Amino acid sequence: MKPTLGLTGLTINAMALIAPGAFLWLTYQEQSLYGAPMAGCAMWIGIVFALVLCFATAMSYAELSKLYPGAGSSYLYAEQAFLSKSTAFKWARLVKFFTGWNSHLYYWIYTGLMVGVTAILAGWLAGQLFPGTFSTTYNSPLFMWLFCIVFALGVGYIAYRGVNGTTAVNMAINVIQITALVVFSVMAIAYRAKHPDGAVGLHLSGGVPVDYNVAQVDVTDDKGKKVQDTWADSTPKVDDKTKQPIWKQQDRTVAKDDLDKAKNTNAVELASLTALKLGEGDPYPAWKADDKGNVIVKNGLETPDPFILSYKPADAVTGKAGDAKDPQTFNFHSTPASVVAPHSFGSVLVQACVAILLLVGFESVTAMGEEAKNPKKDIGRAVLLSLAIQGAICYLFEYFAANYFLNSGYTLANAGASGAPLGDMMVLVGTWAFGSYSAGKAFMLIQAGTVFLALIGTTLSCMNTGARVTYAMGRDEEVPTQFGLLHGKTFSPHRAVWFLVFISIVVGILTTMVYLGGQSADLAACDKTNFWYSVGIFSPHMYVTLPNSVLIITLISNFGTFLLYMTTCIVAIVAFREHHSFHGFKHVFIPVFGLLANFGCMLFYLVGPFTVAGMSVKEPYIALGCSFLWILAGGVFLAMSSKSKGKEILLTSKPSMAS
């Protein structure tokens, strides 16, 4: 590989993987839903907690990169660190192999996850752009699966072309996504500042922003029967006094007959709808009424009842702690201080364990040691710079803005039930800022375009890193040697790249399978029955019982991340133990803290479902099972490969090349 990357190029490549423009859009729904109904209150401080963990690990990577510059990242570090010791050298091959093997659990799954969530974004955008063909509630499974194939092949081709093209693409993407991020964040904070408690504000009805309350009608099933409403524990709701059923309600929309002079005999109502320029399918206003419930008519027209925003503490948290029917539920932050407050330790841990997905990637440049001009000096600096810029600045700013924006018109529960909560927020602030729904929607689509670009950069950076780890293992004959070959013209590990493309297609499709799983209540029935929805759609209630596929794949990737980061912290301790530059704080305290923090987060996935309300047991234990099978497969592969090649698993003497 040719050394072409300086500090800027290395930092840009790592920044592309820690893509704040992409992950705010992609993970906000997951963060809102997991640990609901209360854990979302600690979203911002959870990122701070995760940042501390990542900086501890990043310091270990930065220190190791000074000792062992070269392609392979932790894989290279593990071997060199143990081979340099007088007694621990015998563990060098075993630790090196499992470091590389577990790196694949992270990088391969992470790349596939990015392909999958990009397909989910594309599916949601298809519903926004072509509502006649695609549902705005359910993404088309077929569309997402086909998109996974095309997207993975496209990103794979860029990776195949070589790292110089990759850096140029990542530079452009970083500039665009950070600019778009700042614009949205400023607008979100401005919306909250301009709409104090008691002000008329916007909310969404059927995805359309309106500033009036919407009339309600009973929900009916496919046979026309009214559907009884239920409590959080699925028990039916009844009136306390009459003991009669309470029927589930939904927003009313303007029907064709409402606008037909021949069929709507209420001339005042018809004139009011016409004056508001409402069309078929638009949210139907609840009309302003007096104290006795009589609709107020002024100048021959009815007036829509305005939607009043609330930031009152009593509305910010509703329900009762420990009540299964009406559990304590976090809706929004009543003050700026609430956004940055921890609220509860369990909630912080829930959010921190998800936030790891947002922040990983800072270590990716350590796999580009052979492509760096000055690896000993620049790689460690690029690791820390990328995490500081994207994590400590961009993420904390945008997550403060998004959480501060929440209000009675758009709550955390609304975000958890949405396929794209950031898209919803952008429509709301865009409609307010630019004066119309069409302008707000256009603003959202432009922002979504920058998210898509950021996802290209993220997927590309992860694919490059994963392929280079596979290349290093192939070069060392720890995996098939075909993966250790470089292309004659592009100097990229082309066979590792195309194999990772195949893996990412499979993982991406699995990610989209039940992306709406884990709901707390039944979804509405799918409103489309065309070819695009002929397979892959489940009954509304199944989305309550089925685990969330995005979360499962996320946790598998996170387990791989924790294993890799823990190993790297151990390697850092070993590497500097007998070295002349040993420093107690940098080479013992920090890596030990990183080791314990990573282990603690991994352990929390296992005990959290039994100690924190709202955490499901399904997703973490499915992810743990998959991770265990991967490690077991690695042990079997190592044993069989060693036997066939006559190689020692535990070394009895140092290789002659080691010093």
Side-chain angles (χ1 to χ4, degrees):
M1 297 184 184
K2 291 184 177 180
T4 58
L5 299 177
L7 177 61
T8 301
L10 292 167
T11 305
I12 287 297
N13 275 286
M15 286 174 64
L17 194 50
I18 321 171
F23 284 104
L24 178 64
W25 184 294
L26 298 173
T27 60
Y28 198 88
Q29 188 260 0
E30 185 178 337
Q31 290 167 289
S32 303
L33 192 60
Y34 198 52
M38 283 300 296
C41 63
M43 200 178 293
W44 190 89
I45 199 69
I47 296 174
V48 173
F49 189 92
L51 262 172
V52 173
L53 180 157
C54 287
F55 267 116
T57 310
M59 283 292 294
S60 294
Y61 272 101
E63 290 298 303
L64 286 167
S65 68
K66 298 174 185 177
L67 286 182
Y68 314 121
S73 186
S74 296
Y75 173 77
L76 170 74
Y77 302 156
E79 180 183 40
Q80 295 300 317
F82 278 85
L83 284 180
S84 67
K85 305 307 163 191
S86 56
T87 57
F89 73 87
K90 65 180 179 180
W91 301 99
R93 183 172 179 239
L94 181 65
V95 175
K96 177 189 73 169
F97 176 85
F98 274 104
T99 300
W101 190 261
N102 292 333
S103 295
H104 289 93
L105 185 63
Y106 163 26
Y107 290 117
W108 283 5
I109 299 300
Y110 189 97
T111 307
L113 175 64
M114 291 301 99
V115 170
V117 294
T118 308
I120 293 171
L121 169 63
W124 183 81
L125 288 174
Q128 299 297 309
L129 296 171
F130 309 104
T133 302
F134 298 101
S135 170
T136 56
T137 305
Y138 291 84
N139 292 353
S140 162
L142 278 177
F143 177 86
M144 291 190 292
W145 299 343
L146 290 172
F147 185 90
C148 285
I149 297 172
V150 174
F151 182 70
L153 288 171
V155 174
Y157 179 73
I158 299 174
Y160 159 78
R161 294 282 297 176
V163 73
N164 285 331
T166 298
T167 302
V169 170
N170 285 339
M171 172 70 83
I173 289 173
N174 271 292
V175 172
I176 292 170
Q177 70 164 315
I178 291 176
T179 302
L181 161 71
V182 171
V183 169
F184 163 72
S185 299
V186 170
M187 289 175 65
I189 294 172
Y191 180 90
R192 173 79 180 245
K194 293 292 185 180
H195 293 80
D197 182 66
V200 176
L202 297 169
H203 69 118
L204 293 175
S205 177
V208 179
V210 291
D211 61 358
Y212 53 80
N213 287 307
V214 180
Q216 299 294 293
V217 294
D218 292 329
V219 175
T220 57
D221 60 21
D222 54 0
K223 296 179 181 178
K225 283 186 63 178
K226 290 190 289 186
V227 177
Q228 190 171 0
D229 205 355
T230 59
W231 293 101
D233 63 354
S234 299
T235 57
K237 284 186 177 181
V238 295
D239 187 275
D240 290 337
K241 295 181 179 179
T242 65
K243 304 302 179 184
Q244 293 299 309
I246 296 176
W247 306 113
K248 183 177 286 189
Q249 302 279 292
Q250 65 182 6
D251 288 355
R252 178 183 175 182
T253 57
V254 177
K256 187 176 182 180
D257 290 351
D258 294 325
L259 303 172
D260 191 330
K261 294 181 180 179
K263 295 182 179 180
N264 189 353
T265 57
N266 189 330
V268 174
E269 180 187 76
L270 179 60
S272 302
L273 293 173
T274 304
L276 292 169
K277 298 180 180 180
L278 295 177
E280 184 180 355
D282 286 336
Y284 195 104
W287 304 114
K288 203 170 186 178
D290 58 24
D291 294 340
K292 296 181 180 180
N294 299 314
V295 175
I296 298 173
V297 179
K298 187 176 181 179
N299 299 325
L301 297 174
E302 297 169 331
T303 304
D305 187 38
F307 181 80
I308 305 301
L309 291 176
S310 171
Y311 300 106
K312 294 179 176 65
D315 296 326
V317 180
T318 54
K320 300 176 183 178
D323 190 333
K325 287 188 175 182
D326 186 20
Q328 190 174 44
T329 301
F330 176 81
N331 298 310
F332 53 83
H333 296 280
S334 57
T335 64
S338 175
V339 177
V340 301
H343 294 280
S344 73
F345 185 64
S347 296
V348 172
L349 286 178
V350 170
Q351 292 300 324
C353 288
V354 177
I356 290 296
L357 179 71
L358 282 63
L359 299 167
V360 297
F362 54 85
E363 80 294 336
S364 60
V365 291
T366 60
M368 296 182 172
E370 293 185 3
E371 293 148 303
K373 295 177 182 177
N374 190 349
K376 287 191 176 184
K377 180 180 178 182
D378 290 341
I379 287 181
R381 294 162 65 191
V383 167
L384 297 173
L385 271 174
S386 63
L387 186 58
I389 294 169
Q390 302 289 63
I393 299 175
C394 293
Y395 270 128
L396 292 184
F397 178 51
E398 70 179 9
Y399 267 89
F400 176 85
N403 281 281
Y404 189 52
F405 168 82
L406 295 173
N407 53 68
S408 60
Y410 196 81
T411 66
L412 198 69
N414 295 136
S418 172
L422 262 292
D424 295 340
M425 294 183 195
M426 289 169 182
V427 168
L428 289 167
V429 298
T431 299
W432 162 70
F434 304 118
S436 70
Y437 169 47
S438 58
K441 186 174 182 179
F443 171 70
M444 178 274 294
L445 290 173
I446 292 171
Q447 290 277 339
T450 68
V451 171
F452 184 75
L453 288 175
L455 281 168
I456 294 175
T458 300
T459 310
L460 177 59
S461 183
C462 192
M463 186 174 287
N464 273 322
T465 305
R468 277 156 178 76
V469 174
T470 307
Y471 158 74
M473 292 189 74
R475 187 179 58 184
D476 290 350
E477 299 184 358
E478 295 293 357
V479 295
T481 54
Q482 61 178 329
F483 294 126
L485 301 177
L486 294 176
H487 192 274
K489 294 183 179 179
T490 65
F491 300 101
S492 64
H494 58 295
R495 295 194 176 181
V497 166
W498 291 118
F499 185 74
L500 184 48
V501 167
F502 170 75
I503 295 294
S504 63
I505 289 172
V506 174
V507 175
I509 290 174
L510 290 174
T511 301
T512 66
M513 283 292 188
V514 198
Y515 78 99
L516 288 174
Q519 295 292 323
S520 57
D522 290 1
L523 296 173
C526 184
D527 57 333
K528 303 295 181 184
T529 56
N530 57 39
F531 165 77
W532 293 104
Y533 293 87
S534 56
V535 294
I537 295 294
F538 302 94
S539 67
H541 184 66
M542 286 297 290
Y543 290 102
V544 177
T545 58
L546 288 172
N548 187 290
S549 57
V550 178
L551 185 56
I552 291 173
I553 302 300
T554 297
L555 295 183
I556 293 173
S557 176
N558 282 2
F559 278 137
T561 303
F562 292 138
L563 289 170
L564 176 62
Y565 285 2
M566 285 191 291
T567 303
T568 302
C569 290
I570 293 172
V571 168
I573 295 170
V574 172
F576 286 94
R577 186 170 182 181
E578 299 173 6
H579 198 272
H580 64 86
S581 64
F582 173 79
H583 189 285
F585 180 75
K586 291 193 295 183
H587 304 139
V588 176
F589 179 81
I590 289 178
V592 167
F593 174 78
L595 171 66
L596 295 176
N598 279 285
F599 180 74
C601 284
M602 192 171 184
L603 184 64
F604 183 73
Y605 278 132
L606 306 181
V607 300
F610 305 104
T611 59
V612 179
M615 281 191 71
S616 169
V617 71
K618 298 175 185 176
E619 292 89 351
Y621 277 84
I622 292 173
L624 176 65
C626 293
S627 302
F628 176 77
L629 289 175
W630 176 257
I631 295 171
L632 183 64
V636 173
F637 179 84
L638 176 63
M640 294 178 63
S641 175
S642 299
K643 184 177 180 180
S644 65
K645 296 175 181 177
K647 298 173 73 173
E648 296 177 319
I649 295 178
L650 296 180
L651 304 181
T652 56
S653 61
K654 287 188 180 183
S656 57
M657 61 180 291
S659 57

